[in-house]
């Protein structure tokens, strides 16, 4: 086959018009998802069965089902219910954008919660004991000892998850949003040239992945500065 | 509870501790008076750590009673916190907070627990860093220090809370041989200043020169206890004799 270079040079700028939406979906969902993750985590480690149980079930369901299914349930499924349409959430769930953000955030929350829990479990038990022996309360130990160390331990996995989230934003195109993927699909529908368009799109996503990883790499380095042997 | 003018700081009465079906402590009875130095030794798994960890409730005893400064250790969080403020602990693995500089390791508990101001906490911290002879390391992170220095920081960190009693759980056994003496020197200083101490250690030279009493544990029981001279020169129990012969061969 012959590669149509003019098509590539024409379609890249068009797809880049959707990068704002892609990035916005990623950032908004990352922030909301992380907040949700913290709530789920606190429930999970509370030791109170009526908080632990809902948190564990939630995480199990959202990690155990495809995100595309979650998006479709929220976008096509929820509006079927009268209660939803009458609720305060309707202005959000009526819009495809709102649905995409809600689905991506709910999904990210489940994954990130487990990542943060992994960080907490990775903190040396002896440090908590040292804090206890000094008379720090459970809460003080959690805030001043466990959390800062757990964050550092969780960064690499968190970074991977944000990359996943960034890639998942492409699914928003299935509910009519014109993110980069949505625009690419429109171009393909007009030009019947999936090869050129999607390869170019893949390259854009790879570049974004590169920068996300780079950014988190720096953050991790900053958070790990105290582990270096030399000052 | 004063007999011949001595004030008991730590009292264990018939203390038992189980891990599942396994009994780690069997009917431990022990009194440590103010200013007294007790060295605890015994084979691995004999319950030495478990016993001293029960004293500040890092482990929960399940039989008998424990009193610290007259206050009984119960499940009550208030009592536990009160006891922990009186009892400093030094661990085999230092357990310094890696994300805080040395001086901040020392300031954390005084600020959070004693509600000391920042300047006051720093001043106390520097005083104790001088006492363990490493004030110049104040702004380094623990990872930048040698093992011996880290353990001295850990001792200073416990002292900043102004404890009534210090517990040491094999403070030198994770150290390279050339660093052991710098830590022992600090502990000897503390003893000279009259600190009440319970030290789990196999440093028999230290035990001989510093301890008022040496306690030998085996299989969760106190087998023998006495002043160093009697303990080393005329051990009564066969298990103690065997243990001492093994230790001294090393
Ligand atoms: N958290 C725990 N769960 C189950 N068993 C435990 C636990 N902690 C200690 N034990 C058991 O209790 C016994 C006493 O342990 P302890 O750590 O007090 O011994 P030790 O005298 O300090 O030994 P070492 O010289 O090796 O430090 C051991 O048999 C140990 O396996
Ligand atoms: Mg031990």
């Amino acid at each position: 086959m012959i590669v149509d270079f003019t098509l590539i040079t024409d379609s890249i700028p068009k797809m880049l018009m959707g990068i704002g939406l892609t990035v916005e979906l990623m950032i908004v969902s990352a922030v909301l998802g992380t907040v949700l993750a913290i709530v789920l985590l606190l429930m999970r480690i509370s030791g109170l069965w009526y908080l632990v149980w809902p948190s564990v079930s939630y995480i199990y369901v959202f990690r155990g089902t495809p995100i595309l299914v979650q998006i479709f349930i929220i976008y096509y499924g929820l509006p079927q219910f009268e209660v939803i349409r009458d609720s305060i959430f309707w202005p959000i769930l009526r819009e495809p954008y709102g649905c995409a953000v809600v689905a991506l955030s709910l999904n990210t929350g489940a994954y990130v919660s487990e990542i943060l829990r992994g960080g907490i479990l990775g903190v040396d038990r002896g440090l908590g004991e040292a804090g206890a022996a000094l008379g720090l309360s459970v809460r003080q130990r959690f805030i001043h000892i466990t959390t800062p160390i757990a964050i550092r331990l969780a960064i690499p996995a968190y970074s991977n998850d944000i990359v996943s989230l960034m890639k998942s934003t492409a699914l928003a195109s299935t509910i009519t949003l014109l993110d980069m993927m949505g625009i690419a699909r429109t171009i393909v529908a007009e030009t019947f040239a999936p090869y050129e368009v999607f390869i170019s799109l893949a390259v854009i996503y790879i570049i974004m992945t590169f920068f996300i990883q780079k950014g988190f790499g720096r953050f991790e380095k900053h958070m790990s500065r105290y582990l270096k042997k030399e000052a | 509870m004063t007999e011949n003018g001595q004030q008991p700081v730590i009292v264990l009465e018939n203390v038992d501790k189980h891990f599942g079906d396994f009994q780690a402590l069997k009917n431990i009875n022990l009194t440590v008076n103010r200013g007294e130095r007790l060295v605890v030794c015994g084979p691995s798994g004999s319950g030495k750590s478990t016993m001293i960890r029960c004293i500040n409730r890092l482990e929960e005893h399940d039989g008998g009673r424990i009193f610290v400064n007259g206050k009984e250790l119960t499940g009550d969080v208030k009592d536990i916190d009160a006891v922990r403020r009186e009892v400093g602990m030094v661990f085999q693995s230092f357990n310094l907070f890696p994300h805080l500089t040395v001086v901040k390791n020392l300031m954390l508990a005084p600020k959070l627990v004693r509600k000391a101001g920042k300047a006051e906490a720093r001043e106390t911290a520097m005083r104790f860093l001088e006492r363990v002879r490493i004030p110049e390391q104040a702004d380094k992170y623990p990872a930048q220090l040698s093992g011996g220095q880290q353990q001295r920081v850990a001792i200073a960190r416990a002292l900043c809370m102004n404890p009534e009693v210090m517990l040491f759980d094999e403070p030198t056994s994770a150290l390279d041989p050339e660093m052991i003496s710098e830590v022992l020197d600090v502990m000897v200083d503390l003893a000279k200043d009259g600190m009440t101490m319970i030290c789990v250690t196999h440093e028999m030279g230290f035990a001989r020169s510093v301890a008022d009493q040496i306690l030998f544990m085996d299989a969760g029981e106190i087998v023998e206890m006495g002043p160093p001279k009697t303990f080393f020169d005329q051990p009564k129990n066969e298990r103690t004799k065997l243990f001492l012969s093994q230790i001294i061969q090393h």
Side-chain angles (χ1 to χ4, degrees):
Chain A
M1 73 171 276
I2 299 152
V3 177
D4 183 345
F5 282 101
T6 45
L7 180 60
I8 293 177
T9 48
D10 284 353
S11 61
I12 285 183
K14 281 189 199 146
M15 289 187 294
L16 284 177
M17 304 223 300
I19 199 171
L21 183 56
T22 296
V23 169
E24 188 181 325
L25 283 172
M26 176 183 90
I27 292 177
V28 173
S29 310
V31 170
L32 294 177
T34 304
V35 171
L36 174 63
I38 293 168
V39 173
L40 289 167
L41 173 71
L42 294 175
M43 288 167 69
R44 177 83 201 259
I45 61 177
S46 67
L48 305 169
W49 65 268
Y50 51 88
L51 295 178
V52 173
W53 188 82
S55 168
V56 170
S57 325
Y58 176 93
I59 291 168
Y60 189 81
V61 168
F62 275 83
R63 298 209 319 162
T65 52
I67 179 155
L68 188 57
V69 173
Q70 295 163 17
I71 291 175
F72 282 1
I73 289 176
I74 290 169
Y75 183 66
Y76 296 114
L78 292 186
Q80 314 257 332
F81 297 94
E82 183 88 34
V83 265
I84 300 278
R85 274 180 278 134
D86 292 340
S87 76
I88 50 161
F89 300 114
W90 184 235
I92 296 168
L93 294 173
R94 198 174 48 192
E95 302 292 333
Y97 176 80
C99 288
V101 165
V102 167
L104 291 169
S105 304
L106 294 180
N107 188 269
T108 301
Y111 279 93
V112 171
S113 189
E114 285 295 278
I115 288 169
L116 297 179
R117 197 169 76 95
I120 283 176
L121 294 178
V123 177
D124 183 358
R125 258 188 66 216
L127 300 179
E129 289 188 347
L134 286 164
L136 270 60
S137 67
V138 174
R139 177 198 289 256
Q140 289 171 330
R141 279 178 259 158
F142 186 74
I143 294 173
H144 296 274
I145 301 170
T146 310
T147 300
I149 298 170
I151 289 175
R152 169 176 64 79
L153 295 176
I155 295 170
Y158 184 73
S159 161
N160 287 339
D161 202 69
I162 297 301
V163 169
S164 282
L165 168 63
M166 190 269 290
K167 293 182 290 185
S168 300
T169 58
L171 296 172
S173 67
T174 61
I175 53 172
T176 75
L177 284 177
L178 289 178
D179 67 325
M180 292 197 294
M181 181 67 180
I183 295 173
R185 284 167 46 150
T186 325
I187 299 172
V188 171
E190 289 162 0
T191 59
F192 306 105
Y195 186 76
E196 286 86 348
V197 174
F198 286 134
I199 292 276
S200 313
L201 180 62
V203 170
I204 299 174
Y205 277 115
I206 287 218
I207 293 170
M208 289 179 65
T209 300
F210 173 82
F211 281 108
I212 294 172
Q213 285 174 337
K214 197 100 181 145
F216 277 106
R218 284 207 180 167
F219 181 43
E220 192 193 359
K221 216 169 149 187
H222 173 74
M223 292 295 285
S224 309
R225 68 199 179 286
Y226 56 76
L227 292 177
K228 278 199 301 221
K229 291 272 173 227
E230 290 309 316
Chain B
M1 287 217 301
T2 19
E3 297 157 31
N4 47 37
Q6 297 196 306
Q7 278 179 292
V9 179
I10 290 174
V11 178
L12 280 72
E13 286 177 6
N14 310 320
V15 169
D16 292 327
K17 167 72 189 169
H18 295 78
F19 292 110
D21 290 338
F22 176 76
Q23 189 166 5
L25 294 179
K26 297 173 189 157
N27 194 33
I28 301 286
N29 284 285
L30 179 69
T31 301
V32 180
N33 293 314
R34 175 153 296 127
E36 209 170 31
R37 277 93 42 161
L38 175 72
V39 162
V40 179
C41 61
S44 182
S46 57
K48 307 178 296 293
S49 298
T50 306
M51 182 177 79
I52 67 166
R53 288 163 58 85
C54 281
I55 294 172
N56 64 356
R57 197 67 167 197
L58 290 182
E59 302 289 356
E60 209 171 305
H61 59 290
D62 44 36
R65 307 170 78 181
I66 298 178
F67 299 87
V68 178
N69 248 345
K71 191 172 291 255
E72 180 168 6
L73 263 178
T74 62
D76 189 332
V77 180
K78 282 230 158 46
D79 289 347
I80 295 172
D81 285 347
V83 163
R84 284 176 176 166
R85 264 173 295 196
E86 300 303 326
V87 179
M89 186 159 195
V90 174
F91 301 85
Q92 180 174 350
S93 50
F94 327 137
N95 293 343
L96 294 179
F97 307 131
H99 59 300
L100 300 177
T101 60
V102 164
V103 69
K104 289 196 171 144
N105 262 273
L106 271 63
M107 289 161 64
L108 186 67
K111 280 201 308 195
L112 294 177
V113 181
R114 296 239 190 262
K115 310 292 175 207
K118 205 171 167 185
E120 182 197 345
R122 177 173 282 272
E123 195 264 320
T124 313
M126 290 312 296
R127 192 150 43 85
F128 283 106
L129 283 179
E130 307 247 357
R131 186 144 167 208
V132 300
R133 304 181 195 117
I134 35 175
E136 73 283 359
Q137 310 290 348
D139 294 315
K140 289 197 181 166
Y141 286 104
Q144 295 160 354
L145 269 53
S146 73
Q149 291 173 324
Q150 290 191 46
Q151 193 61 297
R152 285 186 282 151
V153 172
I155 294 172
R157 180 177 66 178
L159 292 174
C160 280
M161 288 299 283
N162 207 7
E164 192 77 38
V165 191
M166 286 284 285
L167 307 174
F168 293 85
D169 192 358
E170 306 205 36
T172 57
S173 53
L175 295 176
D176 293 337
E178 72 272 17
M179 294 174 185
I180 291 178
S181 64
E182 65 188 63
V183 172
L184 291 180
D185 286 349
V186 167
M187 292 167 63
V188 171
D189 280 358
L190 266 184
K192 280 191 190 135
D193 290 349
M195 176 64 81
T196 311
M197 297 163 69
I198 302 182
C199 310
V200 177
T201 182
H202 292 154
E203 294 294 332
M204 288 304 147
F206 171 82
R208 218 180 247 281
S209 63
V210 167
D212 298 303
Q213 296 279 325
I214 301 184
L215 183 162
F216 174 69
M217 286 183 77
D218 192 17
E221 294 173 309
I222 297 181
V223 173
E224 187 160 352
M225 183 163 159
K229 212 161 161 37
T230 341
F231 184 84
F232 286 115
D233 302 341
Q234 299 136 21
K236 291 188 221 48
N237 192 290
E238 287 307 317
R239 285 191 275 179
T240 319
K241 287 179 194 167
L242 178 66
F243 177 76
L244 284 174
S245 70
Q246 285 166 344
I247 283 259
I248 284 157
Q249 272 167 21
H250 288 180

